[in-house]
Amino acid sequence: MTAALPALPAKIHPLVRAFLDTPGAAADALARFGSPAHLVFPQVYAENLARLRAVLERRSPRHRICYAHKVNRSRAFLRTAEQAGIAVDVASAQELAAAAEAGFGPERIEVTGPKGETLLRGLVDTGVTVNVDNLWELRRIAELAGERVAVPVLLRVSGFAASPVSRFGIALGEAEEALGVAAAQRDRIALRGFAFHIDSGEPAERVRAVEACLGLVERAYSHGLAPAVLDIGGGFRQVFTADADRFDGYVAALREALLGRGEPMTWGGNTFGFHVDGAGVHGTPVFHKYANTVPAARMLDDLLTAPLDAHGGRTVAQLAAENLLELWLEPGKALVDHAGITLARVEFVKQAADGSVLVNLDLSRDTVTPADQEVMVDPIVLPAAGDSGPVAEPGPVGVFFAGRLCLERDLITNHKVWLDARPRPGDLVVFPNTAAYHSDLSAAAASMHPLPPKLAVAHRSGEFRICPDADYEPALAASGTV
Ligand SMILES: Cc1ncc(COP(=O)(O)O)c(C=O)c1O
């Protein structure tokens, strides 16, 4: 790749890099299980977990990590979490069943998200902790619980000063009413504490949320309640880019291109959330999370050591300890960061009427893209084995990757990707870091294409072993059997 060309090089975990560098490993996986395929690396998950745990051990020894299962359907990740002794956060009856099947008992399960009547009915007798989203849920739990054992609940709150409005959680203005319900129904509702979840990279937002929750803890005492949990949710960031300067360089070139200067870099007039007018390119692009360079463990450490002015500068971790609060968190993407890739094959390469080069793959945009967000890391092309003939068009080439659906919008990249050479049918394409929502959040079986198989990769005794995700067992991987 010529250094001067815009590029979005992906950060790749050394284990994943070693797998991709092992001759034939990726191609063998597709030959055995079919293309495309999602690969997960539970050992990378375990490493991510160890890093978050190290921060918590140092700063807040009384803690609980609830793995947010929604980030990926993988059973291998669930089994890894279960074996590591952490808890799980589930957001549907199906995730609840998967967690139970993977070995989590009710004392290690928390249910988050908006819950309907059917799910609530299924929860009241089980002993799992219900992270309550709204007053209706709270009242309904009390009704459904009847005279049986009190249902453990957390009250999720939202609407913190200077935070954008959220559709989730009990508005702070209604928290007093919720405490009234919890106090009046204490035989049926066991208030464990307060929760929030903020999907923001802005540290001050979480600090304000912690402050608000500490205020609610005081209010709960005055209702005769004894909250013992402060759940700070998930939202701890991933690091996608291997080179922040090159990322910035790509975005700078993109802005120029949007103004009509230099080579066009977008498909179909896409502006990625930028506002373009005669005076320039304004605003924050939708893909800004791909620029992040702060790892989740540092973000967590910064939060736990953040001083709270209203509490004499004592830190979040100190205040949690002084209030006898166990600190819970619900990381999803931070645990699976770099623990997954997606493999696909080039079907054909064509030229569109405007001269754009389209590399058509055997997967669709929704297979590697969460909620239709543009993914700003470069896919990697691995030439097909035995492909030693001359390349059709040597030299760098700017391409758009296109999907297999009969939809104009099924472009896997709406931004241009520069490759060393024009790919050829049969070449393999690697999408880095797809385990966090990218592979599982939006994928549909459109045109009856089946969802790609999910495979688990383990590295033991210098070898990579691959099995269906559902068959992976951490203990077997440790013994070298899988
Ligand atoms: C309540 C709750 N907790 C945790 C998470 C996990 O978030 P993340 O993957 O950003 O850590 C989510 C994600 O939507 C969530 O809604």
Side-chain angles (χ1 to χ4, degrees):
M1 176 75 69
T2 308
L5 287 172
L8 298 164
K11 184 172 181 221
I12 310 252
H13 188 280
L15 191 77
V16 178
R17 172 66 68 197
F19 174 78
L20 295 175
D21 287 347
T22 302
D28 286 353
L30 294 191
R32 272 179 72 196
F33 297 99
S35 177
H38 297 303
L39 273 55
V40 296
F41 293 76
Q43 289 160 315
V44 177
Y45 179 106
E47 243 183 75
N48 292 335
L49 174 57
R51 264 195 292 271
L52 290 185
R53 264 184 161 163
V55 173
L56 288 163
E57 292 298 340
R58 194 164 67 245
R59 304 291 185 197
S60 185
R62 290 193 60 228
H63 63 259
R64 166 181 288 212
I65 298 178
C66 305
Y67 163 50
H69 181 22
K70 61 176 76 83
V71 72
N72 195 297
R73 288 184 207 120
S74 165
R75 182 178 185 275
F77 287 157
L78 262 190
R79 285 292 302 140
T80 305
E82 196 282 320
Q83 286 284 290
I86 62 170
V88 66
D89 152 12
V90 298
S92 69
Q94 290 73 12
E95 287 188 4
L96 178 62
E101 188 278 332
F104 290 92
E107 70 293 343
R108 276 205 287 163
I109 300 179
E110 179 205 1
V111 187
T112 63
K115 301 153 214 71
E117 175 76 16
T118 312
L119 181 55
L120 282 186
R121 279 182 185 273
L123 296 180
V124 285
D125 260 344
T126 59
V128 303
T129 296
V130 184
N131 184 324
V132 169
D133 173 73
N134 56 67
L135 278 169
W136 172 81
E137 264 183 28
L138 188 65
R139 293 200 173 97
R140 197 70 192 114
I141 288 168
E143 287 162 9
L144 292 168
E147 299 303 320
R148 296 178 295 247
V149 187
V151 177
V153 305
L154 297 173
L155 297 182
R156 175 173 175 179
V157 286
S158 68
F160 311 109
S163 285
V165 67
S166 170
R167 58 167 282 220
F168 300 111
I170 298 169
L172 278 179
E174 288 188 332
E176 194 60 31
E177 196 178 339
L179 287 173
V181 174
Q185 302 285 350
R186 68 186 69 216
D187 295 343
R188 299 167 182 216
I189 294 172
L191 178 74
R192 297 193 72 173
F194 297 94
F196 63 85
H197 168 72
I198 297 178
D199 188 29
S200 158
E202 171 53 56
E205 271 196 52
R206 278 191 186 75
V207 173
R208 285 194 295 271
V210 168
E211 242 160 3
C213 286
L214 290 173
L216 291 175
V217 168
E218 292 295 325
R219 292 298 311 142
Y221 293 151
S222 71
H223 282 267
L225 299 165
V229 172
L230 171 60
D231 180 344
I232 60 174
F236 299 94
R237 285 278 178 273
Q238 298 180 263
V239 177
F240 286 93
T241 182
D243 187 332
D245 290 341
R246 293 209 79 183
F247 187 94
D248 292 345
Y250 187 100
V251 176
L254 181 64
R255 295 171 75 113
E256 288 294 301
L258 288 172
L259 290 171
R261 303 200 271 255
E263 184 172 339
M265 288 175 66
T266 69
W267 177 264
N270 208 310
T271 59
F272 308 108
F274 281 126
H275 177 62
V276 185
D277 62 25
V281 177
H282 318 277
T284 307
V286 287
F287 53 65
H288 64 92
K289 73 177 185 185
Y290 293 96
N292 176 52
T293 55
V294 181
R298 174 134 55 91
M299 220 177 133
L300 177 61
D301 199 45
D302 288 350
L303 175 64
L304 297 183
T305 55
L308 271 69
D309 292 343
H311 295 263
R314 299 211 296 297
T315 66
V316 168
Q318 283 169 337
L319 286 161
E322 286 166 16
N323 284 280
L324 303 178
L325 296 171
E326 188 171 66
L327 197 85
W328 288 20
L329 54 160
E330 301 160 353
K333 57 185 177 249
L335 287 177
V336 305
D337 197 16
H338 300 291
I341 57 175
T342 300
L343 304 179
R345 277 198 197 288
V346 176
E347 298 282 25
F348 58 91
V349 181
K350 66 182 272 189
Q351 195 153 328
D354 67 352
S356 301
V357 178
L358 296 169
V359 179
N360 285 254
L361 304 182
D362 60 359
L363 51 60
S364 48
R365 177 174 175 83
D366 63 11
T367 318
V368 282
T369 306
D372 209 26
Q373 293 163 9
E374 188 73 3
V375 175
M376 296 298 269
V377 283
D378 285 343
I380 300 162
V381 176
L382 303 179
D387 199 0
S388 54
V391 288
E393 194 180 289
V397 54
V399 309
F400 297 98
F401 285 89
R404 63 182 168 183
L405 300 181
C406 308
L407 278 177
E408 284 290 359
R409 54 172 291 280
D410 190 23
L411 262 286
I412 297 163
T413 62
N414 280 304
H415 64 279
K416 192 172 277 184
V417 179
W418 274 268
L419 303 173
D420 288 340
R422 191 180 169 113
R424 288 187 294 176
D427 284 353
L428 212 146
V429 179
V430 182
F431 291 89
N433 208 3
T434 53
Y437 303 109
H438 293 64
S439 56
D440 290 9
L441 186 71
S442 307
S447 295
M448 296 179 75
H449 289 298
L451 294 180
K454 199 181 285 281
L455 311 172
V457 184
H459 186 252
R460 291 293 167 209
S461 317
E463 263 183 49
F464 286 101
R465 316 269 184 115
I466 301 195
C467 66
D469 172 78
D471 297 346
Y472 177 87
E473 275 302 326
L476 292 182
S479 70
T481 316
V482 168

